[in-house]
Amino acid sequence: MNTVLTPSQVPLPPASGAWREGDPPGRRRWYAREGPLPLEAGGELPGVRLAFETWGQLAPDRSNAVLVLHALTGDSHVAGPVEPGHPTPGWWDGLVGPGRALDTDRWFVVAPNVLGGCQGSTGPSCAGPSGRPWGGDFPFLTQRDQVVAEAGLADALGIGRWALVVGGSMGGMRALEWAVAYPERTDALLLLATTAASSAEQIAWADIQLHAVRSDPNWRGGHYHGAGSDPQAGLGLARRIAHVTYRSEPELQFRFGRLPQGEEDPWSGGRYQVGSYLDHHAAKLARRFDAGSYVVLSEAMNSHDIGRGRGGVRSALRRVTARTLVAGVGSDRLYPPSQQAELAAGITAADDLRVIESPYGHDGFLIEVEQVAALVRELLHADPPPTARESRRPGRRS
């Protein structure tokens, strides 16, 4: 039988990198799966736990539950301040709370840390069967494995059907998988800056980042936990590469141009402002993330193909019965709106593609909270629309 565990009070050591046993739990709770998790690639993963956070109260009829799924380096801390156990503030803090789009006086919001992650869920930094961290022995995961684990969490919470499943980027991949694998459990669906299948270019960018991590001498085949030094240089380089793809060229030019960083001289070993900006984000990630999880989750994203084993993408998308909104960021060069257009066209119950106007590129789905909030409100307050595409209201095209 699945169980939900309550964390015990523990001393409060400084939080850094992956969350580990003995670190402050913060707002986390834990779900422990009964028995091993069979994996799509073969084999199984024993001892699965998911860290998660909740806001609001579950209604007696359990009809008000909303599932929020995070992107690659996100975690369960969708809303709330920096506090022991949570080194960064909520990544969608303006979306969740009383009077906000996900009004916690009405909705019960659930946010798990993804399987393979590093903020409380089972991942490479966690103890494996030997008692030592899994490290490089952690098995290959797919989005489908992660969603099966999340379905177990829903069962443990007594949630048979989500009023809304929402996610962006990697979280959008899992949200889509929920709607395809469990259509009877997904009432409404919001897909942001995501795709039906990872493209060659997206795989290429991730592959470069994987090489950056694995090329660090401290990587040690993934077995660096407890070795006294982490592959922070490799992880930092991967983050620098990724962050350029997350933002837009016009924004970088407007913010930084060719200006040097302070008194530094780029002709004498100094940095440009844009380089300092990338250094900042590299150091910030290294303090709160785990290189092993970065590798496992990047590989899972590369594996994403909603049509695999389902007759192709078009056939898979026709399985979605949830009323759906799909939105892209107009300036996104990593997950361009053409990919979201494919989703909107292929999901029968989807309205026309919406475009989030933002100069911030892919990160726009995290930054433009008010535009995302409007989409959430539209889905949660709308009457169930006709499923026939011909019945759509006019004036919805972007």
Side-chain angles (χ1 to χ4, degrees), residues 50 144 146 154 175 202 230 274 279 312 339 393 397:
L50 292 184
R144 296 184 192 181
Q146 294 164 337
Q202 288 157 350
D230 297 341
V274 69
D279 289 346
Q339 293 184 330
R393 293 171 290 171
R397 296 194 179 276

Side-chain angles (χ1 to χ4, degrees), residues 126-197:
C126 297
S130 69
R132 298 186 299 273
W134 277 97
D137 293 332
F138 195 81
F140 186 93
L141 296 181
T142 69
Q143 308 290 321
R144 296 184 192 181
D145 300 327
Q146 294 164 337
V147 168
V148 170
E150 290 165 1
L153 167 61
D155 292 341
L157 294 173
I159 297 168
R161 185 175 178 87
W162 298 104
L164 172 66
V165 179
V166 55
S169 192
M170 185 187 80
M173 295 176 181
R174 284 159 39 230
L176 179 61
E177 182 64 33
W178 260 100
V180 170
Y182 303 100
E184 75 285 357
R185 304 188 71 168
T186 311
D187 188 48
L189 178 68
L190 178 55
L191 302 175
L192 302 166
T194 194
T195 182

Side-chain angles (χ1 to χ4, degrees), residues 208-217 219 231 234-235 238 291-292 294-295:
I208 296 168
Q209 295 167 51
L210 291 169
H211 276 288
V213 174
R214 290 169 170 152
S215 296
D216 190 318
W219 170 245
L235 179 60
Y294 199 93
V295 167

Side-chain angles (χ1 to χ4, degrees), residues 17-372:
W19 188 94
R20 294 181 174 87
E21 296 292 340
D23 287 348
R27 299 190 72 260
R28 294 175 184 83
R29 299 164 63 193
W30 278 269
Y31 150 73
R33 179 184 172 89
E34 177 98 5
L37 175 70
L39 301 177
E40 187 183 3
E44 59 186 25
L45 180 62
V48 169
R49 294 202 315 168
L50 292 184
F52 67 99
E53 296 178 48
T54 66
W55 298 261
Q57 297 294 322
L58 186 61
D61 64 359
R62 303 180 185 276
S63 65
N64 68 332
V66 173
L67 180 63
V68 178
L69 301 174
H70 67 77
L72 172 60
T73 60
D75 54 31
S76 63
H77 199 53
V78 175
V82 173
E83 58 184 286
H86 300 296
T88 56
W91 50 269
W92 252 354
D93 196 58
L95 201 66
V96 178
R100 294 173 178 170
L102 290 176
D103 187 342
T104 49
D105 290 334
R106 178 177 180 184
W107 303 104
F108 178 63
V109 179
V110 181
N113 181 217
V114 68
L115 181 65
C118 63
Q119 287 298 321
S121 293
T122 300
S125 60
C126 297
S130 69
R132 298 186 299 273
W134 277 97
D137 293 332
F138 195 81
F140 186 93
L141 296 181
T142 69
Q143 308 290 321
R144 296 184 192 181
D145 300 327
Q146 294 164 337
V147 168
V148 170
E150 290 165 1
L153 167 61
D155 292 341
L157 294 173
I159 297 168
R161 185 175 178 87
W162 298 104
L164 172 66
V165 179
V166 55
S169 192
M170 185 187 80
M173 295 176 181
R174 284 159 39 230
L176 179 61
E177 182 64 33
W178 260 100
V180 170
Y182 303 100
E184 75 285 357
R185 304 188 71 168
T186 311
D187 188 48
L189 178 68
L190 178 55
L191 302 175
L192 302 166
T194 194
T195 182
S198 294
S199 69
E201 184 174 28
Q202 288 157 350
I203 293 171
W205 280 119
D207 192 60
I208 296 168
Q209 295 167 51
L210 291 169
H211 276 288
V213 174
R214 290 169 170 152
S215 296
D216 190 318
N218 291 324
W219 170 245
R220 298 183 177 87
H223 296 289
Y224 57 87
H225 300 94
S229 56
D230 297 341
Q232 291 191 4
L235 179 60
L237 179 56
R239 182 61 165 182
R240 289 175 177 88
I241 296 165
H243 203 75
V244 173
T245 70
Y246 295 159
R247 311 303 279 233
S248 74
E249 187 278 333
E251 184 221 355
L252 295 178
Q253 179 64 25
F254 176 78
R255 290 180 64 182
F256 306 112
R258 295 182 47 78
L259 294 175
Q261 175 64 20
E263 299 299 319
E264 297 183 31
D265 181 1
W267 287 27
S268 301
R271 297 172 297 174
Y272 291 98
Q273 282 188 5
V274 69
S276 174
Y277 168 74
L278 296 177
D279 289 346
H280 166 75
H281 282 281
K284 184 178 177 182
L285 184 71
R287 289 192 298 269
R288 67 174 182 84
F289 214 73
D290 177 69
S293 283
Y294 199 93
V295 167
V296 166
L297 299 182
S298 295
E299 289 183 329
M301 292 176 71
N302 284 351
S303 79
H304 172 61
D305 179 357
I306 202 67
R308 184 177 58 252
R310 293 167 171 156
V313 166
R314 290 184 181 181
S315 176
L317 293 181
R318 286 196 293 269
R319 298 189 183 195
V320 178
T321 59
R323 62 185 189 277
T324 302
L325 289 178
V326 183
V329 181
S331 58
D332 191 345
R333 55 183 171 181
L334 182 59
Y335 287 77
S338 59
Q339 293 184 330
Q340 292 88 61
E342 178 186 24
L343 292 170
I347 296 173
T348 305
D351 206 340
D352 295 300
L353 176 66
R354 309 301 176 80
V355 176
I356 295 171
E357 299 297 339
S358 174
Y360 298 114
H362 186 61
D363 276 354
F365 82 91
L366 294 170
I367 296 171
E368 306 293 354
V369 176
E370 288 306 313
Q371 294 184 61
V372 173

